[in-house]
Amino acid sequence: MAPTVSTVSPSQGPTSGGNTVTITGVGLTGATAVRFGTTPAASYTVNSSTQITAVAPARSAGSAPVTVVSPTGTSNPVAYTFIAAVLPSVTAVSPSGGPTSGGTTAALAGTGLTGATAVTFDGTPALSFTVNSATLITAVTPAGKAGAAVVAVTTPGGQSAASPSAYFFYAAPPRLHSATATAGPTAGGFTVTLTGSNLLNASAVLFGPDTAAYTVVSDTQINVTVPAGTGTAPITVITPGGTSNPLPFAYLPAPALTALVPAGGPTSSGTVITLTGTALATTTAVRFAMSAVPFTVVSDTQITATAPSGPAGPVSVTVTTQGGTSTGLAYTRVTEPAV
């Protein structure tokens, strides 16, 4: 009895041939030939009485029924279609960049992507990929070195060619080295300069979870306007290369003065005054009106300062810290009696 063929898998392949086709059926033992139309298979192996693996020959596009020949006769035909090879192309990569650590899911747009067997980034296989359609593949980038990596897709029709639109740009991770301020008032609004490396193309600067307005000056410098906030708020920068290491930053309450002891003195300089209040630990200046005077921070609630000379009458005393400037308390100078 002649052999019987039930399935041919895959049921199509390139006109260049060379792909392996699995033929299933019955009575396949002793096969003396496998034909694709009138063209013999490039080679074949009889695995069992129910299975043969054959290498498809080269043949012009179109349908070519597969048959198995044995001493008992020729099998029924099962359709196989030769398809003209289409060279794949990649016309866009989105996003076009990501960190050197890999893990970015990129959409590859193009043509002839059906049947893709490999996706590579500068020769390194993608961590995974999915053929969504003949015009779209989604792939997860492998780790790579900083710079441009050509994206290539391989199908039975061949490998896509490099083109300006078929690149993925690996970015080195950003790194922060220093900030010109590590603390400031809760109201924000002042400028801090960040220095580091790989800061170009920054997409966000964060103080804790809060975004800040910023200007990228260079690959090593960013100027940022501190947003309002409270508590601790580590500074980080986000770029295509990832998220930077954090730099410490703390929001400080504004200082408050509650008492001056003594609250007055002579018009001459030299009187030592004790200022009491709250949030005084980071004091940077004590002023009598516009005049800055020597001072000593005793604690977060106490400062000693030396009053300057000045005309008789009240003068406003203020304290400035990293949290801002306090409201003023009056210190009254009295003219010393003449002798």
Side-chain angles (χ1 to χ4, degrees), residues 58-89:
R59 187 179 165 93
S60 59
S63 180
V66 174
T67 55
V68 174
V69 179
S70 77
T72 59
T74 300
S75 73
N76 60 297
V78 173
Y80 179 89
T81 304
F82 285 89
I83 299 173
V86 176
L87 190 68
S89 68

Side-chain angles (χ1 to χ4, degrees), residues 172-313:
R175 182 76 182 169
L176 289 179
H177 302 153
S178 65
T180 52
T182 58
T186 57
F190 61 99
T191 300
V192 170
T193 297
L194 308 177
T195 58
S197 56
N198 305 317
L199 303 181
L200 285 179
N201 301 314
S203 58
V205 177
L206 303 178
F207 281 68
D210 299 321
T211 58
Y214 64 94
T215 301
V216 177
V217 178
S218 68
D219 191 50
T220 60
Q221 182 177 317
I222 292 177
N223 293 335
V224 57
T225 302
V226 180
T230 59
T232 58
I235 305 170
T236 53
V237 173
I238 299 174
T239 74
T243 300
S244 73
N245 59 299
L247 290 181
F249 185 87
Y251 287 100
L252 301 177
L257 289 178
T258 56
L260 304 177
V261 179
T267 56
S268 59
S269 63
T271 301
V272 176
I273 301 171
T274 298
L275 296 76
T276 58
T278 58
L280 305 179
T282 62
T283 295
T284 57
V286 175
R287 291 184 173 85
F288 283 66
M290 300 300 294
S291 300
V293 301
F295 67 92
T296 300
V297 176
V298 179
S299 68
D300 193 49
T301 60
Q302 189 176 92
I303 295 173
T304 58
T306 303
S309 61

Side-chain angles (χ1 to χ4, degrees), residues 15-234:
T15 55
S16 58
N19 58 305
T20 299
V21 176
T22 300
I23 302 166
T24 60
V26 294
L28 305 181
T29 303
T32 56
V34 175
R35 296 194 179 102
F36 288 72
T38 58
T39 307
S43 64
Y44 68 93
T45 300
V46 177
N47 303 312
S48 68
S49 64
T50 60
Q51 186 184 85
I52 292 175
T53 52
V55 176
R59 187 179 165 93
S60 59
S63 180
V66 174
T67 55
V68 174
V69 179
S70 77
T72 59
T74 300
S75 73
N76 60 297
V78 173
Y80 179 89
T81 304
F82 285 89
I83 299 173
V86 176
L87 190 68
S89 68
V90 177
T91 57
V93 180
S94 179
S96 60
T100 54
S101 58
T104 301
T105 299
L108 315 181
T111 58
L113 305 181
T114 301
T117 56
V119 175
T120 58
F121 290 75
D122 230 16
T124 302
L127 296 181
S128 64
F129 68 92
T130 301
V131 179
N132 305 103
S133 68
T135 59
L136 180 66
I137 289 176
T138 52
V140 179
T141 63
K145 62 182 180 180
V150 63
V151 180
V153 173
T154 301
T155 70
Q159 186 179 79
S160 61
S163 72
S165 59
Y167 278 89
F168 182 85
F169 296 88
Y170 282 103
R175 182 76 182 169
L176 289 179
H177 302 153
S178 65
T180 52
T182 58
T186 57
F190 61 99
T191 300
V192 170
T193 297
L194 308 177
T195 58
S197 56
N198 305 317
L199 303 181
L200 285 179
N201 301 314
S203 58
V205 177
L206 303 178
F207 281 68
D210 299 321
T211 58
Y214 64 94
T215 301
V216 177
V217 178
S218 68
D219 191 50
T220 60
Q221 182 177 317
I222 292 177
N223 293 335
V224 57
T225 302
V226 180
T230 59
T232 58

